[in-house]
Amino acid sequence: MSSSASKIIVYGGRGALGSAIIKHFKAKNYWVGSIDLANNDEADANILVAPDSSWTEQEKAVLEDVAKVLDGQSLDAILCVAGGWAGGNAAHADFVKNADLMWKQSVWSSVLASAIASKHLKEGGLLTLTGAKPALEGTPGMIGYGMAKAAVHQLTKSLAAGDGGLPKDSSVLTILPVTLDTPMNRKWMPKADHSTWTPLEYVSEMMEKWANKEDRPASGSLVQLLTETGVTKLVCA
């Protein structure tokens, strides 16, 4: 690993958004590490998470592997885009099962990314997490999802506080997408208005700017990604 190259880790680097981010940053000559359940072949290093391990077991394994890969060097940014979606209200047969899955996919990953940031992020560096615009209000048709994303929103505010545990002058920002333009979303919603979906390349370019301290919102911001007629604007909640 070159000591001069800018370095980031993408938590959730095998998913659609994570893969797009890795591709974008690699094209800009960043060193990029990926954390996920499976390898991303474009990444410079891959750290695999054992899906059946407990939260604390994941913490131990991930932190050990990150420390080995970095070998004393620090990160310019940690971009956590891990997550998923599952629906259901309180009467749904899989209500608790889906809520548990959403907690693991969104909250576990966000907390672990925050732990990595506390140990390996540069002063003035960037941590991004992934919330959701619908979770600013009630989400009766997807309670587990909304609950988990709301927890990520709260985590953001706590980390941004003066004694949140992140390095000096670092920023934590959480993106709140509505719908991302992913292959899976197009598959399951082929008749939707795709002009209201946020392109993955837009998100990747935005994160590169933030990593370089360009147009970076205030730390603790919940940044809504609002796309209409193919044009995306950023609105802090």
Side-chain angles (χ1 to χ4, degrees):
M1 182 196 303
S2 170
S3 60
S4 61
S6 296
K7 302 168 189 65
I8 70 165
I9 279 181
V10 180
Y11 207 121
R14 183 61 186 274
L17 178 55
S19 294
I21 291 170
I22 288 176
K23 185 179 186 69
H24 178 88
F25 275 85
K26 284 295 297 176
K28 301 292 185 177
N29 298 316
Y30 280 70
W31 180 95
V32 183
S34 172
I35 301 175
D36 210 321
L37 303 176
N39 287 338
N40 182 314
D41 292 337
E42 291 193 68
D44 294 289
N46 281 279
I47 295 169
L48 298 184
V49 178
D52 296 328
S53 58
S54 70
W55 201 356
T56 52
E57 287 169 342
Q58 288 187 13
E59 174 200 21
K60 182 176 185 295
V62 168
L63 288 179
E64 286 179 353
D65 287 347
V66 169
K68 287 179 185 176
V69 166
L70 293 178
D71 192 25
Q73 298 191 50
S74 297
L75 294 163
D76 295 271
I78 300 165
L79 312 176
C80 181
V81 292
W85 184 89
N89 62 16
H92 193 281
D94 291 328
F95 172 52
V96 175
K97 176 183 177 182
N98 287 349
D100 178 59
L101 177 63
M102 293 298 92
W103 199 259
K104 288 176 178 176
Q105 290 185 341
S106 288
V107 179
W108 284 24
S109 57
S110 297
V111 169
L112 292 176
S114 304
I116 295 168
S118 73
K119 299 178 183 299
H120 299 290
L121 191 63
K122 289 181 178 177
E123 290 189 356
L126 172 70
L127 169 65
T128 69
L129 305 175
T130 304
K133 183 180 183 299
L136 294 172
E137 301 175 356
T139 55
M142 47 181 184
I143 291 179
Y145 176 84
M147 182 173 63
K149 292 300 187 180
V152 175
H153 299 174
Q154 201 284 335
L155 173 62
T156 306
K157 297 298 185 182
S158 293
L159 291 170
D163 54 355
L166 295 183
K168 181 181 177 182
D169 297 327
S170 60
S171 294
V172 53
L173 300 169
T174 289
I175 60 170
L176 276 59
V178 179
T179 306
L180 295 173
D181 193 352
T182 66
M184 191 62 68
N185 282 339
R186 283 187 175 258
K187 176 182 177 180
W188 293 112
M189 296 179 279
K191 297 182 180 180
D193 181 1
H194 298 157
S195 72
T196 64
W197 293 9
T198 305
L200 302 184
E201 183 57 28
Y202 176 90
V203 181
S204 301
E205 291 175 356
M206 176 192 72
M207 289 191 172
E208 185 202 353
K209 288 182 179 179
W210 290 355
N212 288 311
K213 301 181 182 178
E214 297 176 21
D215 302 325
R216 189 191 282 186
S219 185
S221 294
L222 305 178
V223 185
Q224 301 174 84
L225 309 182
L226 306 179
T227 304
E228 295 182 6
T229 62
V231 178
T232 301
K233 62 180 180 179
L234 306 181
V235 178
C236 291

